[in-house]
Amino acid sequence: MATRFGESGVFAGARAFHLATVALLVAVGLGLHLGWLYWLGVGATASLLGFEHALVAPGSLQRLNAAFFTMNGIISVVFLAFVLAEVAA
């Protein structure tokens, strides 16, 4: 991807996919009429994805591993915790 679209293109693509992820999480929440714990999880996920994008920028890739590996792991565990809390409520 980076060789075809360049660093800026890859970052734009990642932003687009992350926005699509949040939009789909919203669609699921609306479709299933989920409660406030789910919505807190969606908000936390959106915030963490935004923070992930703040960690790196085209031309400044020193924190790429932290942004990609660490943040995605944190995001998945946080969202899982909110979904489990919603199911248990």
Side-chain angles (χ1 to χ4, degrees):
M1 296 294 286
T3 56
R4 178 167 181 150
F5 299 109
E7 274 185 34
S8 295
V10 169
F11 279 89
R15 278 190 299 277
F17 280 119
H18 285 153
L19 286 172
T21 297
V22 173
L24 290 170
L25 291 174
V26 167
V28 167
L30 292 173
L32 296 176
H33 307 288
L34 296 171
W36 65 275
L37 288 168
Y38 177 83
W39 293 108
L40 280 176
V42 171
T45 298
S47 297
L48 289 169
L49 285 171
F51 179 69
E52 180 178 352
H53 284 276
L55 288 175
V56 291
S60 176
L61 303 176
Q62 291 85 4
R63 296 179 290 194
L64 183 63
N65 285 340
F68 182 72
F69 295 109
T70 305
M71 286 306 299
N72 285 335
I74 291 169
I75 290 167
S76 62
V77 170
V78 166
F79 187 66
L80 174 65
F82 278 104
V83 169
L84 289 176
E86 176 67 30
V87 169

